[in-house]
Amino acid sequence: MNVDWDDLKAVLHVVRKGTLAAAATELGVNYTTVARRLARAERALGTVLFDRLADGYRPVEAALVVARHASEMETQSLAVIRGIAGRDARLSGKLTVTAPQLLVGPHLTEVIRTFSQTHPEVDLHLRASNDLADLSRREADLAIRISRTPGDALKGLRLSDQHSASFASPGWAEQIKNTPERTIDWVVYDALGTPPKGLDPRFQNNRVVMTCDDMTAMVGAAQAGLGVVRMPVFLGRATPGLVQVPVLPAQPYAEIWVVAHADVWASAKVAAFREVLVPYFKRNRAVFTS
Amino acid sequence: MNVDWDDLKAVLHVVRKGTLAAAATELGVNYTTVARRLARAERALGTVLFDRLADGYRPVEAALVVARHASEMETQSLAVIRGIAGRDARLSGKLTVTAPQLLVGPHLTEVIRTFSQTHPEVDLHLRASNDLADLSRREADLAIRISRTPGDALKGLRLSDQHSASFASPGWAEQIKNTPERTIDWVVYDALGTPPKGLDPRFQNNRVVMTCDDMTAMVGAAQAGLGVVRMPVFLGRATPGLVQVPVLPAQPYAEIWVVAHADVWASAKVAAFREVLVPYFKRNRAVFTS
DNA sequence: CAGGCGATATGCAATTTTGCATGTATGAAT
DNA sequence: ATTCATACATGCAAAATTGCATATCGCCTG
């Protein structure tokens, strides 16, 4: 009575994805192989695990039992990878950093330049991304996030306060200055849907002209003169074609954090990167706050 | 960054056993294979895991990290096996029962006869053994133990009280009856080392003639007339060539329990076996107590 | 009701993994 | 010093696993 651990992994992925093909893609093998691993697992456990349907493999209850434990095994295997990475004392090899796209251009490039001059042996990968890269799966070693929460198993350090303010094209700035009573168009986040709270009382007429789910796009819209956008002050100031407008006074915004999984926080490369990153943000605090 | 789970298993076993050959035996593969799996794991993790010494593989610290997590993976894989076995509703297939050797002859054979007549489809395996079969590893589904403790993750049911008393060969019985003042020789467990507490005050001269670590051997010694042995009453009464002697009055002894891992306790075959076992001991309570 | 899509099944060949046989090194016992 | 036992290293052939090409099945759409 002995099961192949990798067969359990196959069961786990088929339970998760529902089809052989999807599971195979995740596992990086041919789906035929997945089918055969399932068959082997069923033989080893002496029980049927899936109903073979025309539209996929449907797990029977026993497969859910397997998947529950296999999932815990996966957690442990990820912990192995992090544990090894976290003990890595070399200042060489791969280091993956993830950061919001908009922070990269104006700021991180400079941090990265300094870092790679100091540590030329490190093979630095940057994932510019807004989705939270999964630090548990070690898709990135270190993340720079605009958020107050470091997350559960993660360790973090606050890099900087931030303020936001309202920015728009010079045309809008002119109009707002000259005729503050005219309607002001806003481009806002989907999640909000309305112009921000805390507007200066001089400006009474505000409406939303567009909502959007991506700040890069909103910056583009603002540059094109579509309306006013609330954004972090570092971004508005650094974006050509935008000027600050007094509609929304500067107000606190989400802080900037650097976070990593606790297991890899102390590793040499991650620590070395922090040693460049933290002083940079300390020096440039004025850029992020009003 | 992806590790083969079975490679982690290889690391675990080599850490535990210290040599390729020993780990290979446990894994049921050739040691060459183990060596290659370690090499693959080291390549995948990008770190050396073992010092290759002439007298074995010595784990470096990173290997201990791996082993810690792999051990947890092993626990989960065992839980899978038990979880599947525990859901098994069939009254067919393999069922492994373990019991102390000395209970088998006089009693369990009858239980087994009844069980296998009622459930002829069950492939019953009996492991007569004194060492606690590892119910976590499912080396047995169900254990009959002489002990008060069901154990940690185990579920149990008390089958019977037990009393012990002193037994010896008819020659000794004669001598004890006629000349109670003469020295009485004892054969006792290693763990004790001295004649039992609670002797009848009529018998003042007692000495240990031999200590032993196995009850079967002690029974043999008693039959051969070496001395008096304290044993469960069911055993003394059922053993030809032994008679009870009044040196040690009957006194409580370890209870008889049936235990199983909680995961498999409710499975059909284990439940069915209990349904024969428990009434048998209920009916025969008098055989085990004085 | 024909055709296309998405999903699984299966035979066969390529590749990978495994085991065996043999060789080497080290330390303990004679 | 020699021998023996134990443990690892490696080349090669056998066995097992894998991927590919192709076939099949059911469903939805037009």
Side-chain angles (χ1 to χ4, degrees):
Chain A
M1 175 62 91
N2 219 349
V3 210
D4 190 304
W5 290 6
D6 280 306
D7 292 348
L8 298 179
K9 191 191 207 168
V11 173
L12 172 64
H13 282 91
V14 175
V15 168
R16 280 187 183 154
K17 307 298 277 189
T19 71
L20 294 183
T25 306
E26 285 208 326
L27 290 165
V29 298
N30 190 283
Y31 75 93
T32 316
T33 302
V34 177
R36 287 188 277 232
R37 290 202 187 152
L38 297 188
R40 214 164 45 193
E42 290 186 335
R43 191 148 26 87
L45 295 173
T47 198
V48 171
L49 293 173
F50 295 91
D51 288 333
R52 274 95 171 141
L53 303 180
D55 63 337
Y57 272 44
R58 183 175 31 174
V60 304
E61 212 188 317
L64 301 178
V65 172
V66 174
R68 195 151 48 241
H69 295 295
S71 173
E72 183 56 32
M73 292 175 78
E74 182 188 46
T75 301
Q76 293 298 326
S77 85
L78 294 171
V80 165
I81 291 172
R82 292 196 311 266
I84 296 297
R87 297 184 63 271
D88 189 356
R90 297 171 307 150
L91 282 168
S92 59
K94 185 169 163 187
L95 176 71
T96 306
V97 175
T98 176
Q101 293 136 4
L102 291 168
L103 262 179
V104 175
H107 299 288
L108 287 185
T109 43
E110 189 173 331
V111 170
I112 288 165
R113 184 164 19 243
T114 309
F115 178 80
S116 63
Q117 276 166 4
T118 322
H119 306 292
E121 298 298 308
V122 174
D123 173 23
L124 188 66
H125 291 246
L126 177 66
R127 284 180 47 144
S129 132
N130 271 318
D131 28 291
L132 314 178
D134 194 338
L135 299 172
S136 289
R137 289 176 183 275
R138 207 160 166 253
E139 289 168 13
D141 295 295
L142 186 144
I144 294 157
R145 291 187 178 169
I146 296 187
S147 138
R148 269 170 246 274
T149 63
D152 37 313
L154 305 181
K155 201 162 170 176
L157 211 57
R158 201 184 59 187
L159 289 171
S160 179
D161 289 333
Q162 256 198 124
H163 285 152
S164 67
S166 52
F167 291 85
S169 64
W172 270 103
E174 196 72 15
Q175 175 193 310
I176 288 164
K177 184 176 168 196
N178 298 334
T179 57
E181 67 284 0
R182 279 186 60 191
T183 299
I184 298 171
D185 288 342
W186 281 87
V187 176
V188 301
Y189 259 122
D190 276 339
L192 269 68
T194 60
K197 314 287 169 232
L199 297 180
D200 189 303
R202 282 178 289 164
F203 309 99
Q204 292 293 337
N205 288 312
N206 293 276
R207 64 158 192 164
V208 172
V209 66
M210 182 175 83
T211 70
C212 185
D213 68 345
D214 180 84
M215 184 57 85
T216 308
M218 288 161 73
V219 169
Q223 287 176 303
L226 191 62
V228 180
V229 175
R230 176 200 186 203
M231 61 180 74
V233 294
F234 88 84
L235 181 59
R237 289 171 186 161
T239 305
L242 289 188
V243 297
Q244 187 165 351
V245 292
V247 191
L248 180 69
Q251 57 181 223
Y253 194 69
E255 301 163 346
I256 305 177
W257 285 71
V258 53
V259 302
H261 197 288
D263 292 348
V264 306
W265 180 262
S267 79
K269 289 193 282 291
V270 170
F273 196 88
R274 283 201 309 273
E275 302 246 314
V276 180
L277 191 65
V278 173
Y280 175 86
F281 276 86
K282 279 241 175 326
R283 271 200 313 280
N284 291 281
R285 183 168 180 282
V287 176
F288 297 94
T289 55
S290 72
Chain B
M1 175 61 92
N2 220 351
V3 210
D4 189 303
W5 289 7
D6 280 306
D7 292 348
L8 298 179
K9 190 191 208 169
V11 173
L12 172 63
H13 282 91
V14 175
V15 168
R16 280 186 182 154
K17 307 297 278 190
T19 71
L20 294 183
T25 306
E26 286 209 325
L27 290 165
V29 297
N30 191 282
Y31 75 94
T32 317
T33 302
V34 177
R36 287 187 277 232
R37 290 202 187 152
L38 297 187
R40 214 164 45 193
E42 290 186 334
R43 191 147 26 85
L45 295 173
T47 197
V48 172
L49 293 173
F50 294 91
D51 288 333
R52 274 95 172 140
L53 304 181
D55 63 338
Y57 271 42
R58 183 174 33 175
V60 305
E61 213 187 317
L64 301 178
V65 173
V66 174
R68 195 151 49 239
H69 295 294
S71 174
E72 182 56 32
M73 293 175 77
E74 182 188 46
T75 301
Q76 293 298 325
S77 83
L78 294 171
V80 166
I81 291 173
R82 292 195 311 268
I84 296 297
R87 297 183 64 272
D88 189 354
R90 297 171 307 149
L91 281 168
S92 60
K94 185 171 163 186
L95 175 71
T96 306
V97 175
T98 175
Q101 293 136 3
L102 291 168
L103 263 180
V104 174
H107 299 290
L108 288 184
T109 44
E110 188 173 333
V111 171
I112 289 166
R113 182 164 21 242
T114 309
F115 178 80
S116 62
Q117 276 165 5
T118 322
H119 305 293
E121 297 299 307
V122 174
D123 173 23
L124 188 65
H125 292 246
L126 177 66
R127 284 180 46 143
S129 133
N130 272 317
D131 29 291
L132 315 178
D134 195 339
L135 299 173
S136 289
R137 289 176 184 275
R138 207 162 165 250
E139 289 169 13
D141 295 295
L142 186 143
I144 294 157
R145 292 186 178 170
I146 296 187
S147 139
R148 270 170 245 273
T149 64
D152 37 313
L154 304 182
K155 203 162 170 175
L157 211 57
R158 201 184 58 187
L159 288 172
S160 178
D161 290 332
Q162 257 200 122
H163 286 152
S164 67
S166 52
F167 292 84
S169 63
W172 271 103
E174 197 70 14
Q175 175 192 313
I176 289 166
K177 184 177 169 195
N178 299 334
T179 56
E181 67 284 1
R182 279 186 61 190
T183 299
I184 298 172
D185 288 343
W186 282 86
V187 177
V188 301
Y189 259 123
D190 275 341
L192 269 69
T194 60
K197 312 288 170 232
L199 296 181
D200 188 302
R202 283 178 287 163
F203 309 98
Q204 293 292 336
N205 288 313
N206 293 277
R207 63 159 191 163
V208 171
V209 67
M210 181 176 82
T211 70
C212 186
D213 67 345
D214 180 83
M215 183 56 85
T216 307
M218 287 161 72
V219 169
Q223 287 176 303
L226 191 63
V228 179
V229 175
R230 174 200 188 203
M231 61 180 75
V233 293
F234 89 84
L235 181 59
R237 289 172 187 162
T239 306
L242 288 189
V243 296
Q244 186 165 350
V245 291
V247 191
L248 181 69
Q251 57 180 223
Y253 194 68
E255 301 162 346
I256 305 178
W257 284 70
V258 52
V259 302
H261 198 288
D263 291 348
V264 306
W265 180 262
S267 80
K269 290 193 281 290
V270 170
F273 197 87
R274 284 202 309 274
E275 302 245 314
V276 179
L277 192 64
V278 172
Y280 176 86
F281 276 87
K282 280 240 177 323
R283 271 201 312 281
N284 291 281
R285 183 169 181 280
V287 177
F288 298 94
T289 55
S290 70

